[in-house]
């Protein structure tokens, strides 16, 4: 993977965690930002910082993303990576992993730019350096797509053993890139452990969650948070227990114009009433500037606002909230749907996040607007209508795939076990 955005490492960590939970002591995972650690020179070794800049100026990102999906862009990317990254990436894939003195038994990619060249390198290593023909590879290689309603073409390489996709749209996109039905597996997005808790209640959403949960239970694992009840969670987080609660998030980096949206929303909610009726929590992620700008400000009498920086307990903040106002990040949306949180989307990154807007809207658990007044009106109208809230909460949970991480990890484990027996 590479740390372009927070989602790739988060997914990798979640899969590692799930392997540990299901098969303790059986796997050692070596999670590598291959571009930063092994990229031969600028700009290849600086993708994460370049991504941060481009994500800020979305027209830049849009042009880059769209160019990368053209035939010429795909060809150029392949030629550049094969020419300049083959040898350095080979060093990475050949390095001793974990406590063994051998290279990895299996490779899992959770990044759109980690398919073609790594697959050729594995074929080369498996054939003793004789060829780069894909068919010579016998080290298993799977891709786990970490986008949701849209994804770049480079995610889909028909030479992988399995490609795990989270949604119907990406299932179709994988098929349209030539992957066969038996290569495509659809469970959901891998997300961190704190969100695995509702697996037991949604067994219809997956082929085998209850089985996996039995394994966890047999091992005495506490997969369900001890703070399941919303009021307890609020108390634990220092929030009022009886106020309608709106959570505002801009992804791991606090992007999408979070300051402007939070201020306008707080002002609108604050003016709705003379007595405190709402509380709003703004999670700024790693955006320190946003945290400083928003902290300590007073809004109208109707709202109480608290501001957080990067939080490590997003599952608790989501469990405490009635509604979420967020940038259309795939991780945040998948987590919110597990928590049954209606989502008001206020921004998306062109390209891969664009499809997350119809994903949320067509699944019936949210809306999109850039206009802070529309956002405030929409969210407060949801909160004022128990029926509307109930139907959106149900829609969110129906779309959710809380067992996805365990399902993906279990499939990966089975592939690894089968290969070792061989
Ligand atoms: N997140 C977090 N703490 C924060 C802000 C965000 O743990 O303070 C997590 C959030 O729960 C989600 C991820 O960061 O898992 C953000 O991923 P998403 O795909 O929504 O957006 P990205 O940051 O990749 O643009």
């Amino acid at each position: 993977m590479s740390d372009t955005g927070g989602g790739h490492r988060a997914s990798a960590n979640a899969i590692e965690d799930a392997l540990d939970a299901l098969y303790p002591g059986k796997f050692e995972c070596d999670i590598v930002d291959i571009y930063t650690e092994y990229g031969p020179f600028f700009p290849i070794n600086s993708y994460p910082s370049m991504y941060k800049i481009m994500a800020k100026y979305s027209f830049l990102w849009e042009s880059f993303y769209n160019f990368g999906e053209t035939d010429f862009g795909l060809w150029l990317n392949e030629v550049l990576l094969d020419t300049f990254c083959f040898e350095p990436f080979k060093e990475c894939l050949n390095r001793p992993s974990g406590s063994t003195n051998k290279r990895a038994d299996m490779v899992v990619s959770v990044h759109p730019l980690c398919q073609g060249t790594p697959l050729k390198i594995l074929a080369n290593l498996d054939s003793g350096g004789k060829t780069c023909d894909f068919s010579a590879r016998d080290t298993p290689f799977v891709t786990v797509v970490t986008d949701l309603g849209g994804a770049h073409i480079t995610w889909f390489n028909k030479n992988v053993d399995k490609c795990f996709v989270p949604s119907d749209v990406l299932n179709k996109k994988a098929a349209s890139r030539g992957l066969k039905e038996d290569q495509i597996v659809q469970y959901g997005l891998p997300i961190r452990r704190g969100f695995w808790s509702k697996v037991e209640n949604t067994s219809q959403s997956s082929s085998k969650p209850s089985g996996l949960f039995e394994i966890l239970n047999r091992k005495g694992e506490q997969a369900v948070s001890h703070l399941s009840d919303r009021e307890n969670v609020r108390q634990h987080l220092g929030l009022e227990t009886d106020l309608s609660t709106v959570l505002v998030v801009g992804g791991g980096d606090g992007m999408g114009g979070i300051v402007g949206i939070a201020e306008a929303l707080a002002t609108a909610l604050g003016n709705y009433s003379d007595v405190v009726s709402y509380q709003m929590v703004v999670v700024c992620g790693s955006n320190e500037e946003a945290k400083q700008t928003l902290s300590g400000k007073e809004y109208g009498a109707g709202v109480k606002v608290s501001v957080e920086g990067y939080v490590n307990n997003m599952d608790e903040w989501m469990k405490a909230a009635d509604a979420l106002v967020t940038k259309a990040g795939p991780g945040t949306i998948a987590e919110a749907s597990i928590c049954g949180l209606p989502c008001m989307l206020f921004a998306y990154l062109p390209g891969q996040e664009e499809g997350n807007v119809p994903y949320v809207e067509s699944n019936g658990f949210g809306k999109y607007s850039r206009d802070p007044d529309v956002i405030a009106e929409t969210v407060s109208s949801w909160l004022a209508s128990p029926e509307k809230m109930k139907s959106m909460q149900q829609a969110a949970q129906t779309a959710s795939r809380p067992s996805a991480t365990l399902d993906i990890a279990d499939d990966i484990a089975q592939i690894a076990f089968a290969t070792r027996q061989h």
Side-chain angles (χ1 to χ4, degrees):
M1 49 74 75
S2 183
D3 286 309
T4 50
H8 303 292
R9 189 172 291 273
S11 297
N13 287 334
I15 293 168
E16 176 175 15
D17 229 5
L19 285 169
D20 276 348
L22 292 169
Y23 303 101
K26 294 268 183 220
F27 289 91
E28 287 182 297
C29 296
D30 195 3
I31 301 175
V32 194
D33 179 337
I34 196 169
Y35 282 90
T36 305
E37 284 187 41
Y38 288 86
F41 44 71
F42 182 85
I44 302 175
N45 58 9
S46 306
Y47 278 179
S49 47
M50 285 178 58
Y51 177 81
K52 248 189 185 169
I53 296 169
M54 285 203 265
K56 246 188 187 161
Y57 304 99
S58 52
F59 64 94
L60 252 183
W61 176 248
E62 189 168 17
S63 332
F64 181 72
Y65 187 96
N66 290 338
F67 171 69
E69 287 215 318
T70 61
D71 288 343
F72 178 61
L74 287 167
W75 173 83
L76 187 65
N77 181 48
E78 187 179 341
V79 169
L80 288 176
L81 291 183
D82 285 354
T83 307
F84 297 113
C85 294
F86 192 91
E87 287 306 325
F89 284 10
K90 187 172 170 181
E91 198 188 317
C92 172
L93 290 168
N94 205 18
R95 81 184 193 182
S97 277
S99 57
T100 67
N101 214 15
K102 295 190 305 186
R103 68 179 164 96
D105 294 306
M106 176 169 182
V107 177
V108 179
S109 162
V110 291
H111 197 276
L113 295 179
C114 294
Q115 269 66 233
T117 307
L119 280 161
K120 283 182 198 157
I121 293 169
L122 287 180
N124 184 261
L125 288 170
D126 288 342
S127 63
K130 287 194 202 96
T131 176
C132 290
D133 176 6
F134 287 121
S135 62
R137 173 181 64 81
D138 47 34
T139 303
F141 184 105
V142 303
T143 300
V144 181
V145 180
T146 63
D147 282 318
L148 187 59
H152 200 270
I153 281 180
T154 48
W155 274 109
F156 306 107
N157 187 306
K158 56 185 179 194
N159 296 299
V160 298
D161 295 305
K162 295 284 174 201
C163 178
F164 294 90
V165 294
S167 62
D168 294 343
V169 176
L170 298 194
N171 196 324
K172 285 196 188 106
K173 189 153 181 175
S176 77
R177 294 298 299 164
L179 278 85
K180 300 203 188 75
E181 220 174 285
D182 64 354
Q183 284 176 295
I184 307 169
V185 186
Q186 184 175 339
Y187 289 129
L189 213 61
I191 43 170
R192 88 188 69 158
R193 190 189 191 97
F195 292 97
W196 302 349
S197 59
K198 298 243 170 65
V199 175
E200 286 161 305
N201 303 333
T202 50
S203 46
Q204 77 281 3
S205 70
S206 163
S207 53
K208 50 185 176 176
S210 52
L212 292 179
F213 237 78
E214 264 168 36
I215 297 174
L216 285 187
N217 291 338
R218 264 209 310 279
K219 290 179 179 140
E221 293 273 347
Q222 244 311 359
V224 180
S225 163
H226 62 291
L227 289 165
S228 51
D229 153 60
R230 178 170 290 167
E231 285 184 3
N232 280 346
V233 184
R234 285 183 183 169
Q235 208 168 33
H236 165 75
L237 295 171
L239 296 172
E240 301 294 334
T241 53
D242 54 351
L243 290 180
S244 287
T245 304
V246 180
L247 180 65
V248 182
V249 184
D253 296 330
M255 307 285 276
I258 191 169
V259 171
I261 292 290
E263 285 185 330
L265 184 58
T267 307
L269 293 176
N271 290 337
Y272 278 156
S273 156
D274 291 339
V275 287
V276 186
S277 313
Y278 299 100
Q279 64 190 334
M280 190 174 121
V281 180
V282 191
V283 172
C284 300
S286 60
N287 188 343
E288 270 303 312
E289 205 183 318
K291 187 182 170 200
Q292 270 170 22
T293 310
L294 291 168
S295 293
K297 281 200 170 169
E298 289 293 325
Y299 298 92
V303 69
K304 210 176 151 183
V305 179
S306 59
V307 182
E308 301 288 328
Y310 194 91
V311 300
N312 284 312
N313 55 343
M314 188 59 88
D315 53 319
E316 294 185 338
W317 290 103
M318 284 196 185
K319 281 168 193 164
D322 295 294
L324 176 70
V325 176
T326 180
K327 174 183 87 81
T332 306
I333 291 170
E335 292 164 358
S337 75
I338 290 174
C339 296
L341 264 186
C343 293
M344 186 73 221
L345 306 176
F346 66 80
Y348 61 81
L349 204 57
Q352 77 269 33
E353 286 186 356
E354 218 165 319
N356 297 341
V357 173
Y359 176 86
V360 166
E361 290 188 333
S362 67
N363 277 304
F365 65 100
K367 289 268 175 237
Y368 167 78
S369 172
R370 281 292 298 158
D371 182 339
D373 293 332
V374 174
I375 292 173
E377 244 169 66
T378 311
V379 172
S380 56
S381 74
W382 291 347
L383 294 172
S385 162
E387 301 83 57
K388 180 76 186 160
M389 285 297 286
K390 196 161 179 220
S391 80
M392 292 183 85
Q393 284 159 355
Q394 277 170 354
Q397 285 189 334
T398 303
S400 75
R401 297 291 177 265
S403 66
T405 320
L406 290 166
D407 284 329
I408 293 168
D410 195 34
D411 279 16
I412 288 173
Q414 298 315 322
I415 294 172
F417 293 147
T419 311
R420 293 214 79 171
Q421 270 168 11
H422 229 54

